[in-house]
Structures are given as structure tokens and as C-alpha cells.
Amino acid sequence: MMPQLRTVLDDVLAGHRLTEEEGVRLLKIRDRGVLDIAAAADELRERMVGETVTYVRNQNINVTNLCVNACGFCGFSRKAGDTDAYLHDEAAVREKARAARERGVTEVCTVSGLHPDFDAQSYIDIISWIRDEAPEVHIHASNPMEVAYAAQRSGISTREVLIAMKAAGLGTLCGTAAEILVDSVRVVICPGKVDTATWVRIIREAHDLGIRSTATIMYGHCESVEDRARHLGVLREIQDDTGGFTEFVPLSFIHENTPLYRAGRARPGATGREDILMVAVARLFLDNVKNIQASWVKLGRKMAEITLLSGANDLGGTMFEESISRSAGARGTDYLDPAEMRRMAEDLGRTLRQRTTTYELVRGETVAGVVPPSRA
């Protein structure tokens, strides 16, 4: 290991807070120093959260794939008239919520396209339908883009939208639509989405209202390592002020079916080195975020297990009915049995435990207790 790298890692483990410039240097490492960074991150993970690997029993409800935006990284959205466009009505949403309750899931996650006819009441209704059918299930829903869209469509403030969503049953807000929180990148990959300042403002509003959220990054397309470090810096600044992030979720870009990649404007996703470093550097940099998720949906199961040795402590959810990553070209995204998660954790000498959305451990859970989805 280069002496400079050893010094930086020793300093971080001794309590030094990484600068963005130091984060950039770590993200650029290309030799066996990658493994040293991963090892330091894993040591810090052990200090912060111990040896438990966690997961949540969750189900997605993607209400519609119709969307007024056309983000370059998205293979999910459709326009009116497309043969595979859909909108689930109230009866269908209620049925899916009942199915989630019967499966014993503890979280329902709903993020969808920006339907041209939706307004604030549309999002409030969806949350209410889920709450009616699954009153004990935590609703992890919407994101700053959907909140901004709902506010604009209804002529009210984003704060008013969040207050109404919370009253309807919203538990936590999805920290998606973040992608890269650098506007020069956003104008390329998602010009129709809110800018960085608006995303940050809405997240801060949610935290101020007692609505916690996840934090995410989508990397591996056309951003630089400097952009990734700036993104981490933005998240750390928010967490310093609000403490409202429950976890950080690195989302590796799935490229195959996306307009951005097909137009030659994006790389074919991150490499394995970049996946390891994104998780490891995030653990070292985000000293105020306890939980880092290894997204098996984006990484695949084997790479997800490797990132559990690189600073991650959570495997995300069982993920019934995943649609968005699959539409972009990911494979095997629909469901991961907790028994397989346990095999992954135990292979590393660690213990798997079920958690809630906000990371309380569930007492008396049985790892094999989730009913698998129908394959019909």
C-alpha cells in the first residue's frame, strides 16, 4: 500500500473526517489498494453497527409506468399509447396491499412514473388505499421529484404535500431521484427532474416534519469521481443538520435498455472495482450515516456479498414485484428469499436479522417465514 493511502486510512479510523478531495483520491485507486480501502471500511462498519447483516421484508407497488419525463437512465417509463403502458386503479392497488399484508411484509414501497393526470390528491389517495388495506405495514413512498410534481400540479407548496402525505399514512420518504446531486450531470441524464437545490430542500423539509428518508446515489454512467464525492458531501451536510437519513443506498447504473447508453452518452455501468469503492468510500466518508445497503438488485448476489466485506451492513429487501431495475436490463430482481440472504451472511461469519424500515430489529422473526411470490 502507498504510504499516503495508509496514512489516510489510519487517520479515518482514528476519527479524521474525510475531505471531498481525499474521497476523490480513494475513489480513483486502481490497484490492490482497493482491498485496503475495503478492509478499512469493513473495520469501521464493525465498529459502527457490529456483525449483524439486516434485511427488511418489503414489497414494491409500482402504480404506473406512464411518465411525463424521459430520463436517459430509465428503461421503465412509457408514454400514452405505448402497448405496455399501465396504470393500476384503486382496486388493483388495494389488492396488492392486501397481498403484501398476507405475505407478512413490514414495508410497502411505492415509486412510479409521473403520470400526466396525477396531482397531490393522487399520491395521497394511493397512500390512503395502502394504509386502509395494510394498517400495520410501514409505507415508504414517493421521492422529492414526486413531491415537487404533486405540488406543481396542485398549486400548493411541497411542504403542504408532505404534510398531507404524512397525514394519509406516509412513514418514510424514498431518497431516490437523487441520481447525482451535481446539476451539470443532471442536465444530461435527467433534465426534466428537479435540480440539486430543490431535491435538497424537499429532503430537508421532510426531515423537519419528522419524515425520515433514505439517501441514494446512482453511479456508473457519465459522472466523474469528483461528482460522486460532491454527492457524498451534499448528503453528509444534510445529515449533519437533520439526522434524518436512515441509510445510504448506492445504486449501480443498469445500462442495457436505457436511452442514455443506447445513444452513446453513458458507459456500460460501473465496474466491480467501482462498486466496491463506492460502498467502501461511502462508509469512510459518511461518518454520520450508520447503515449502508448492498443492493442485490443492482449488484447481483455475489457482488452484494462482497460489498458486505467492504463497509455495507444491510441487504435491502425481499423485493416482491420489482419492475424498475428489470426494465433497465437487470436480471433476477423480483425476489430474494431470506434463507438465501442468511446463506450469504453466514458465509461471511455474520448473522442475518430482520429489521424494520427504520432499522429496529424485529424480535422472534423466522428467516424462512416469507411466503414466496407466485411464479404463475
Side-chain angles (χ1 to χ4, degrees):
M1 195 188 330
M2 293 188 304
Q4 302 96 316
L5 178 57
R6 179 72 273 166
T7 298
V8 169
L9 296 179
D10 286 345
D11 286 349
V12 173
L13 292 175
H16 167 68
R17 177 171 257 200
L18 280 177
T19 67
E20 288 185 30
E21 292 75 17
E22 289 168 332
V24 167
R25 293 209 300 272
L26 295 183
L27 287 166
K28 286 183 175 180
I29 295 294
R30 292 181 178 274
D31 57 19
R32 64 175 66 96
V34 171
L35 302 179
D36 296 308
I37 296 169
D42 195 50
E43 181 177 340
L44 189 57
R45 180 271 309 160
E46 183 179 3
R47 293 184 193 177
M48 291 181 71
V49 295
E51 295 289 1
T52 300
V53 176
T54 50
Y55 79 99
V56 64
R57 296 182 179 183
N58 69 346
Q59 173 168 329
N60 278 6
I61 300 179
N62 300 124
V63 177
T64 182
N65 62 355
L66 282 161
C67 190
V68 299
N69 274 349
C71 296
F73 58 81
C74 182
F76 172 73
S77 68
R78 298 293 185 269
K79 300 300 180 186
D82 289 346
T83 56
D84 54 350
Y86 70 84
L87 168 63
H88 294 312
D89 62 11
E90 178 179 351
V93 172
R94 287 182 178 275
E95 181 180 356
K96 288 177 179 294
R98 286 194 297 272
R101 183 192 67 212
E102 292 165 2
R103 286 170 174 152
V105 307
T106 64
E107 172 190 296
V108 166
C109 178
T110 169
V111 173
S112 301
L114 303 175
H115 193 284
D117 295 332
F118 276 14
D119 58 12
Q121 192 62 48
S122 305
Y123 292 100
I124 293 163
D125 286 345
I126 290 165
I127 293 169
S128 298
W129 300 336
I130 297 169
R131 170 58 62 240
D132 288 347
E133 301 298 336
E136 302 302 319
V137 171
H138 183 102
I139 301 175
H140 180 58
S142 293
N143 60 37
M145 182 66 243
E146 290 186 336
V147 171
Y149 182 67
Q152 182 267 322
R153 292 279 298 169
S154 293
I156 59 178
S157 70
T158 52
R159 188 177 184 87
E160 288 173 305
V161 171
L162 288 166
I163 290 170
M165 285 180 168
K166 184 177 182 181
L170 177 69
T172 50
L173 190 71
C174 299
T176 48
E179 325 314 351
I180 296 290
L181 293 171
V182 175
D183 286 332
S184 59
V185 178
R186 297 179 76 77
V187 75
V188 175
I189 67 173
C190 54
K193 278 192 173 172
V194 293
D195 62 11
T196 297
T198 303
W199 189 94
V200 170
R201 175 179 58 78
I202 293 171
I203 284 289
R204 286 179 176 272
E205 285 177 346
H207 292 180
D208 183 57
L209 290 167
I211 303 169
R212 301 183 72 189
S213 74
T214 53
T216 67
I217 186 173
M218 187 191 68
Y219 64 96
H221 38 87
C222 60
E223 84 291 352
S224 66
V225 292
E226 288 81 6
D227 295 327
R228 297 178 195 175
R230 176 79 285 263
H231 183 104
L232 293 176
V234 171
L235 296 180
R236 191 169 69 181
E237 290 161 11
I238 296 171
Q239 188 74 341
D240 277 343
D241 293 340
T242 73
F245 289 132
T246 57
E247 64 184 334
F248 175 64
V249 188
L251 302 171
S252 195
F253 174 54
I254 305 298
H255 67 283
E256 285 94 336
N257 298 334
T258 65
L260 197 67
Y261 174 69
R262 291 182 170 181
R265 305 183 74 187
R267 300 186 291 124
T271 62
R273 175 190 67 86
E274 290 176 295
D275 287 330
I276 291 170
L277 285 176
M278 189 70 254
V279 170
V281 175
R283 172 61 75 188
L284 298 171
F285 190 94
L286 296 174
D287 54 359
N288 51 10
V289 178
K290 284 182 62 175
N291 302 295
I292 296 182
Q293 185 182 125
S295 176
W296 60 268
V297 173
K298 302 292 188 181
L299 298 173
R301 298 177 189 185
K302 290 185 178 181
M303 182 57 77
E305 183 178 344
I306 292 298
T307 60
L308 289 174
L309 289 174
S310 309
N313 64 294
D314 183 73
L315 277 171
T318 48
M319 199 67 74
F320 293 96
E321 299 187 25
E322 199 288 322
S323 301
I324 295 174
S325 295
R326 184 176 71 246
S327 297
R331 300 290 178 265
T333 67
D334 273 347
Y335 174 71
L336 183 57
D337 195 308
E340 176 63 16
M341 295 184 190
R342 180 174 59 185
R343 189 175 83 96
M344 294 164 66
E346 291 180 351
D347 187 52
L348 304 176
R350 288 154 73 181
T351 302
L352 182 73
R353 289 290 306 276
Q354 184 189 347
R355 63 167 173 88
T356 66
T357 304
T358 52
Y359 279 83
E360 291 84 18
L361 294 179
V362 175
R363 296 182 180 276
E365 86 281 6
T366 56
V367 168
V370 173
V371 179
S374 171
R375 298 300 182 188

